[in-house]
Amino acid sequence: MYSYSEFDEQFVRERVSQFRAQVERRIDGSLTEDEFKPLRLMNGLYLQLHAYMLRVAIPYGTLNPHQMRQLAMIAEKWDKGYGHFTTRQNIQYNWPKLKDVPDILDALADVEMHAIQTSGNTIRNVTADHFAGAAADEIADPRPVAELLRQWSTDHPEFQFLPRKFKIAITGSPNDRAVTKAHDIGLRMVRNDAGDEGFEVIVGGGLGRTPMIGKVVREFLPKADLLPYVEAIVSVWNLLGRRDNKYKARIKITVHEHGIDEIRRLVEERFEEIRPQFSGVDQELLAGLEQAFAAPDLQEASLAAFESAYTNDAMFRAFADTNVVDHKVPGYGIVSISLKAHGATPGDASADQMRVMADLAERYGHSELRISHEQNVILPHVHKSDIPAVHAALKEAGLATANIGLISDIIACPGMDYCALATARSIPIAQEIATRIDELKIEHEVGHMKIKISGCINACGHHHVGHIGILGLDRAGVENYQITLGGDGTETASIGERAGPGFPAEEVVPAIERIIKAYLDVREGEDETFLMAYRRLGPAPFKAALYPESKEQADAA
Amino acid sequence: MPRKFTPKVVTANSLIEGDAVWLTADDRWSPDMAEAQLIEDEELAQERLAHATAQPDQVVGAYLADAVAGDNGPVPTHFREAFRTRGPSNYDHGKQTAV
């Protein structure tokens, strides 16, 4: 993992000290709220429905046990004993008091963490494949590049007041676990015909009010050119982006309005201009970062303990089949810890659970943890012989739910339970769906299915790329939920299509149940996932299940 | 035609805690909406809002929210404001802990 340099340490400490003075001045009345608001947002501090919310960056979702324990300590000391992991691989605290925030930021700085650029019209936390450095299908670990992008973008003077926020995701694998096509810039590591590493650069993806799948602006960008090329893209958008209308300010609209060919021309032109300014220091830095992210020393060991547990313990077998995938090193597994126990709040972990995960990472996982954009926690390097012990400890902590990639592994934004922007709640809908699915005991039979829920059109719950997406809205003072079908956030990305009129809250779970049952009726065997069935058949059978009255009316006509 | 004025309360978030609070008739900021002043006159509503926004040392983001008279004081008419009176659905971490 990357460790802070002296410069990083000083930079973060100075920033905390600066913010401490700003908070004091706000409290003593020297700063108005209008003056203070942009300053607090630059440090990740929002004011939400019931309290302040502090969003802490977890760069590319990577944590060490020491950091996880500090997050637990913060949750206990200054919050209400839990934290919420988000789709940007961040953690959010929902209840800090304004006067305590500088102390929290100091505690974060103690473990090389911060909340800078987790808000505002800047380049946000760079996200990455949560299996980075461990995935069997990986070309290379994308995290050194993500760290390079973090260092380049943090407090970049040209990019502190962009037209809107800007999000970058990166994957080193052809199987896209980072939703790269729904980001302002998506970077997919590829090799060219000569075998050189480089990137396919995707631009102009995004969800929200106007969901769009990103377009390829460069099919192969040599690795050495990444930083100037990304800088060229942001620079072009910084000039062209619409500052007259915040709803049209994201780069996806710029690409849409100017066309990808014109954007490509402008980016390439700008790239040629700025390329000479990158003297190679970035590549020296990158080489150092690649050393910092060197793979742990993974030793061979007997698989007997794993095989015995797999044969004799049905609960462990379900966990291993669902929550463990093969590591690039034979004998090792990547363990996903679900923060989606049936009926729980997606993405929440208590301080005790954070400590359990930190202990397990330290004891069995080469001291590495990852936060996934799907709001789960990953132990990326665990020998299979240790997985039974990991599973036993997780079970005791209420963290052993075997549902990764299944129906109840739902992404849900905080919704109107916490968020000031939301138009309806997300969490209770996720809780009710997961509880109902658990009652029906059909989750494993149904198999791979992604449900994603957002509490407003900003789509923090990624509902547009859910196989089943749910969008909460306010319809004449009542919570109402629209359903979209056929979304996909992977390398075969697509935006879900709206199925029809929305449902009141109490009708959402039965509606989802009808879609699932319709899928089980129409699928061509267990290997055909919901998404495959949807792509083969189109929306008709699922719409008919969702709106049986319409079908009856059509049949009668 | 101008919209008919509907009764309002003045609400905001407290500066230090971030907590939802309501302006009372005797100029306090109460964490309990039932103590809020229910304002039935538009001109008075604007006056009370101006009074609230002139207290940046105590509250943030004051606004007028729709309300109606309940058995024990004003109650919200919209679900968003109802959530602000009690806290989130998933934990008893908000005002519901005090109930």
Side-chain angles (χ1 to χ4, degrees), chain A residues 139-267:
Chain A
I139 293 167
D141 186 342
R143 290 175 305 156
V145 172
E147 174 60 27
L148 183 71
L149 288 166
R150 183 184 77 92
Q151 294 191 15
W152 158 80
S153 65
T154 302
D155 244 20
H156 192 303
E158 190 181 336
F159 303 141
Q160 292 307 297
F161 297 97
L162 293 167
R164 280 287 275 143
K165 57 190 168 182
F166 197 86
K167 299 179 179 179
I168 302 175
I170 178 165
T171 176
S173 298
N175 296 303
D176 185 357
R177 289 173 288 265
V179 209
T180 57
K181 292 186 177 177
H183 277 75
D184 296 300
I185 292 180
L187 299 167
R188 299 180 64 222
M189 213 172 263
V190 290
R191 284 188 197 282
N192 65 8
D193 292 342
D196 304 321
E197 275 179 28
F199 292 95
E200 179 188 68
V201 183
I202 299 157
V203 69
L207 302 178
R209 183 181 292 256
T210 315
M212 289 186 185
I213 297 299
K215 296 179 174 65
V216 175
V217 64
R218 198 37 129 84
E219 283 182 4
F220 183 83
L221 180 75
K223 199 170 155 188
D225 288 339
L226 184 75
L227 220 47
Y229 200 81
V230 170
E231 180 154 316
I233 294 172
V234 186
S235 177
V236 164
W237 171 65
N238 200 14
L239 286 173
L240 285 184
R242 298 261 312 254
R243 284 181 161 86
D244 60 319
N245 181 341
K246 72 180 279 195
Y247 302 116
K248 294 187 174 178
R250 297 289 290 266
I251 195 171
K252 61 189 171 188
I253 305 294
T254 313
V255 171
H256 180 72
E257 287 184 348
H258 293 263
I260 187 65
D261 292 336
E262 174 65 1
I263 294 296
R264 185 181 295 114
R265 187 186 71 74
L266 292 168
V267 167

Side-chain angles (χ1 to χ4, degrees), chain A residues 52 97 348 417-418 425 474, chain B residues 15 17 56 78 89-91:
Chain A
Y52 288 93
K97 294 176 175 47
D348 277 13
D417 279 312
Y418 296 92
R425 289 174 299 173
D474 175 348
Chain B
L15 172 63
E17 307 279 328
H78 190 277
S89 310
N90 56 336
Y91 304 113

Side-chain angles (χ1 to χ4, degrees), chain B residues 7-87:
Chain B
K8 302 278 191 290
V9 290
V10 178
T11 184
N13 287 78
S14 68
L15 172 63
I16 305 287
E17 307 279 328
D19 204 18
V21 287
W22 290 266
L23 184 63
T24 66
D26 58 351
D27 285 345
R28 288 177 297 112
W29 284 102
S30 171
D32 180 2
M33 185 181 176
E35 292 192 329
Q37 176 186 16
L38 186 68
I39 309 165
E40 313 220 21
D41 174 80
E42 187 164 10
E43 200 174 321
L44 178 61
Q46 292 304 329
E47 269 176 34
R48 297 298 284 159
L49 180 61
H51 175 68
T53 50
Q55 300 176 49
D57 54 333
Q58 290 189 61
V59 294
V60 179
Y63 62 96
L64 295 170
D66 284 322
V68 290
D71 292 342
N72 300 308
V75 291
T77 59
H78 190 277
F79 58 89
R80 181 183 192 274
E81 294 305 313
F83 299 150
R84 291 180 75 245
T85 67
R86 60 172 187 260

Side-chain angles (χ1 to χ4, degrees), chain A residues 311-368:
Chain A
T311 307
N312 299 314
D313 180 348
M315 202 180 262
F316 176 74
R317 190 161 55 247
F319 178 82
D321 286 345
T322 309
N323 293 32
V324 180
V325 300
D326 282 342
H327 194 279
K328 64 172 140 189
V329 175
Y332 280 79
I334 304 170
V335 178
S336 291
I337 302 170
S338 169
L339 299 184
K340 320 280 180 62
H342 297 110
T345 304
D348 277 13
S350 70
D352 286 342
Q353 288 176 327
M354 288 185 222
R355 288 193 193 99
V356 167
M357 293 187 281
D359 291 349
L360 290 173
E362 204 161 66
R363 186 158 180 200
Y364 302 111
H366 298 268
S367 291
E368 281 204 36

